[in-house]
Amino acid sequence: MRFLREQQNLNQVERWKLERHPLDVRQAVLERYAHEGPEAIASVPGEQERLKWVGLYPQRQGGDAFMVRIKVPGGHLTAEQARTIGELATTHARGPEPSPVFGQGFLDLTTRQDIQLHWIRIGEVPELWRRLEAVGITTTQACGDSARNVLCCPVSGLDADEVLDAYPVARAISDFFTGNREYANLPRKFKMSVTGCREDCAKAEINDVGLWPARQADGTVGFNLLVGGGLSDGPRMASDVDVFLRPEQTVECTRAIAQLFGELGGRENRWTCRMRYLVQELGPERFREELERRAAFSLTPAGETLTRRYRGDHVGVHAQKQPGLHYVGLSVTVGRMPGGDLVEAARLAETYGSGALRLATDQNLIVTGVPGDRLEGLLAEPLLGEHSPRPGPFERGAVACTGSEFCRFAIVETKARAAQWARWLDDHVDLPGEEIVRLHLSGCSASCAQPQIADIGCRGEVAHTGDALVEAVDVGLGGSLGGDAAFIDWVEGAKPADEVPAALLALVDRYQAERRDGERFHQWCRRLPNEELRATLQRHEPGEMG
């Protein structure tokens, strides 16, 4: 792939990628680093950056401590794969001391349907790779400036109301890009989402490439194409570029978009190299023209978009399109669970269901193919007491990134804090029915927990209290995707973290008193002026949570 912006002053990462192809780092791990340790990695300029292409990040602690990210295209896991990952977490994801909240041997489910392990030593990586690859999964390109894990509706093929089963498309796109050296050096990470459901489960609007269901006038169903979505410091809803794709055209189209991004994308300032900045620069019409020049087929104008709303999660017991079968969505609070719990989930999938699990885009887990006469037995299993299909509204909606526990960029701790906040709020709030309040906590402005699309979004900050600096968060309200898509408004800055739960309780109490019939929390937040929301957040007794 050639760069068309020849006069760019390439940033340091780009220069490292040109010196040696990032995918070559795999062989170096196997032949050298696993034997010589992290000092050998540090001796090679740019090698820590290249490790991302095989799913490895150095942890905040430095030394011989790495995070390993496992790609699960579309969130589909067999019981054998889940059992293998759970066993690897139990055996290898062990720090020098247990976490006071989560212990040892845990794993994290992510918002990209990946699984992350922490405290992995570089010498253990070849064995992890061997065992993962033996069951058909990989860490290749789970990170780095290339195609990341391809999202899909987690109940594709099961949802009775879906337009089409998009998982085969997501899988084909993933297979094309994984290990493909020609498209593995892009200006920045390249995130794709494919869904055939009507509820935007795969969050098309905040991905670099989003395919969501559409229908042409003659009844042909396929996908409309969105490009240039994303969050972080420059959040942007993806643009509709007036393209309809049949399923068999999707791999070629995404290939052509990757070519376009690789050739025209910026490679100078890494903060502005994401594809959303290129889409913003070109505009939808010129982007479409550039795409048509590179695609191997003529582009068809967009059809009728069939997405209705943003669902948010798949927690609970739901009927599948297959008569007599159900899927059961389990709430994994902030996505963190012991490896042994995933092993047990694999057993339950084989005992009660189809032998398969799905990872959702909200850090939750789904057991599929459960016959009606086995539901009672599954729901009585102890694991479902820990990861409930009937959680409270805050625990159900809690999402958190890795945070300062492991991430070098995070300002605040997130996982334990978000879980504690959610459980405390559920103890103090009584919301009716199946309502969800999506509380997302990101440790910094990078938005890994996607706070901008949450009902309540928080991002890490610091605050002065007296003579001390304390962990704090900015608080935003009113985000959603789907038919009424909009990002949150940041209404309160640098609020000390200890004051946040009581402030949110005051806000939810007001929501319950003032909500209109059928009005959801994010809609109520949008109806009120930000000044009133801010004043409500500030009207509480400090330290109420205890």
Side-chain angles (χ1 to χ4, degrees):
M1 185 185 300
R2 58 200 179 101
F3 303 169
L4 298 188
R5 294 188 174 190
E6 300 290 352
Q7 303 307 311
Q8 290 189 87
N9 181 21
L10 298 181
N11 64 59
Q12 180 60 70
V13 173
E14 290 297 329
R15 295 196 293 272
W16 283 331
K17 290 190 290 181
L18 287 177
E19 289 169 7
R20 187 158 69 91
H21 196 288
L23 287 177
D24 289 343
V25 76
R26 175 185 169 91
Q27 206 58 32
V29 170
L30 294 171
E31 294 178 354
R32 183 183 176 196
Y33 306 142
H35 307 287
E36 299 179 22
E39 296 80 8
I41 300 170
S43 71
V44 180
E47 205 71 338
Q48 280 199 355
E49 187 69 28
R50 295 186 193 96
L51 285 175
K52 296 176 183 178
W53 272 255
V54 290
L56 299 177
Y57 270 98
Q59 282 185 188
R60 186 186 194 101
Q61 291 80 3
D64 198 4
F66 293 85
M67 180 271 282
V68 173
R69 183 178 294 156
I70 302 164
K71 285 173 69 173
V72 185
H76 282 226
L77 275 179
T78 66
E80 182 184 30
Q81 290 170 336
R83 184 178 299 109
T84 297
I85 296 170
E87 290 171 351
L88 290 173
T90 301
T91 304
H92 296 283
R94 309 188 71 83
E97 296 180 357
S99 160
V101 177
F102 300 106
Q104 293 275 28
F106 53 78
L107 55 87
D108 289 338
L109 311 181
T110 81
T111 56
R112 288 209 71 79
Q113 298 173 304
D114 295 310
I115 296 178
Q116 295 181 170
L117 309 182
H118 296 286
W119 293 114
I120 304 301
R121 286 74 175 166
I122 195 66
E124 299 171 321
V125 170
E127 173 64 9
L128 263 68
W129 284 347
R130 184 192 67 76
R131 291 196 60 189
L132 292 171
E133 290 162 10
V135 294
I137 43 183
T138 185
T139 67
T140 299
Q141 289 163 270
C143 321
D145 299 341
S146 61
R148 299 291 185 92
N149 200 38
V150 181
L151 297 185
C152 191
C153 171
V155 292
S156 57
L158 311 179
D159 179 16
D161 196 33
E162 71 182 359
V163 177
L164 72 166
D165 179 0
Y167 175 70
V169 170
R171 185 76 215 201
I173 293 170
S174 179
D175 289 346
F176 174 81
F177 282 100
T178 302
N180 189 327
R181 295 173 69 88
E182 186 174 356
Y183 297 96
N185 177 7
L186 298 174
R188 283 292 260 119
K189 64 186 76 172
F190 188 54
K191 296 183 175 181
M192 293 179 281
S193 159
V194 185
T195 185
C197 81
R198 300 173 185 267
E199 299 179 317
D200 201 17
C201 300
K203 305 173 182 176
E205 296 145 303
I206 58 168
N207 277 264
D208 296 302
V209 178
L211 303 177
W212 61 3
R215 179 174 52 226
Q216 292 186 298
D218 64 0
T220 302
V221 295
F223 306 94
N224 280 348
L225 172 65
L226 305 177
V227 296
L231 298 177
S232 193
D233 283 322
R236 185 180 190 278
M237 291 290 180
S239 298
D240 188 325
V241 289
D242 191 27
V243 173
F244 175 87
L245 298 170
R246 299 190 304 276
E248 63 270 20
Q249 295 175 316
T250 53
V251 172
E252 167 58 17
C253 183
T254 54
R255 181 214 61 80
I257 294 171
Q259 179 187 346
L260 190 166
F261 182 35
E263 293 177 347
L264 300 184
R267 295 178 183 262
E268 295 182 319
N269 180 352
R270 283 184 66 78
W271 291 107
T272 57
C273 289
R274 290 292 302 273
M275 199 174 84
R276 62 181 178 271
Y277 294 101
L278 177 62
V279 174
Q280 187 70 32
E281 176 188 342
L282 296 178
E285 291 183 2
R286 187 180 164 203
F287 188 96
R288 191 184 195 281
E289 292 171 2
E290 295 289 350
L291 176 59
E292 184 128 43
R293 292 191 183 103
R294 293 165 174 82
F297 57 87
S298 296
L299 302 182
T300 300
E304 175 194 2
T305 296
L306 300 178
T307 297
R308 287 196 299 248
R309 67 185 184 108
Y310 177 50
R311 176 172 181 158
D313 76 13
H314 295 81
V315 171
V317 178
H318 304 271
Q320 294 180 191
K321 65 167 62 175
Q322 296 81 11
L325 297 182
H326 305 78
Y327 68 84
V328 181
L330 311 183
S331 177
V332 182
T333 308
V334 300
R336 180 160 290 180
M337 65 192 311
D341 283 6
L342 189 58
V343 173
E344 176 65 1
R347 183 188 73 82
L348 299 183
E350 291 175 326
T351 302
Y352 296 97
S354 63
L357 297 165
R358 305 281 180 93
L359 305 181
T361 57
D362 58 348
Q363 303 181 326
N364 288 325
L365 185 67
I366 300 168
V367 180
T368 66
V370 182
D373 60 2
R374 295 184 190 169
L375 272 174
E376 185 176 350
L378 174 61
L379 295 173
E381 287 282 349
L383 184 70
L384 276 71
E386 182 65 28
H387 305 296
S388 175
R390 302 186 185 96
F394 282 93
E395 194 164 1
R396 178 172 178 170
V399 171
C401 70
T402 299
S404 61
E405 182 182 13
F406 297 116
C407 178
R408 295 174 295 166
F409 304 108
I411 302 170
V412 302
E413 192 282 327
T414 54
K415 289 285 189 185
R417 177 170 280 136
Q420 182 188 29
W421 288 357
R423 288 165 180 154
W424 185 86
L425 286 163
D426 279 339
D427 286 342
H428 289 77
V429 171
D430 184 20
L431 290 175
E434 293 292 310
E435 182 151 8
I436 311 166
V437 181
R438 293 173 294 112
L439 170 61
H440 293 201
L441 174 56
S442 256
C444 71
S445 63
S447 300
C448 294
Q450 303 173 339
Q452 290 97 328
I453 62 167
D455 293 299
I456 302 168
C458 300
R459 65 184 177 194
E461 259 294 354
V462 292
H464 290 272
T465 58
D467 296 330
L469 278 178
V470 299
E471 292 191 359
V473 297
D474 298 330
V475 180
L477 300 168
S480 186
L481 294 176
D484 60 350
F487 295 132
I488 59 171
D489 285 344
W490 295 105
V491 300
E492 175 77 322
K495 190 165 194 65
D498 289 347
E499 299 178 12
V500 171
L504 296 182
L505 180 59
L507 191 73
V508 175
D509 284 345
R510 181 173 177 184
Y511 161 63
Q512 289 183 284
E514 298 179 358
R515 67 184 302 192
R516 297 169 179 170
D517 287 345
E519 188 172 45
R520 298 168 64 191
F521 183 83
H522 75 274
Q523 295 167 333
W524 174 81
C525 289
R526 292 178 190 177
R527 182 163 59 83
L528 268 64
N530 287 345
E531 293 76 13
E532 289 193 33
L533 296 171
R534 184 179 303 112
T536 304
L537 287 170
Q538 294 171 349
R539 284 199 300 268
H540 66 91
E541 292 297 322
E544 282 180 26
M545 182 171 167

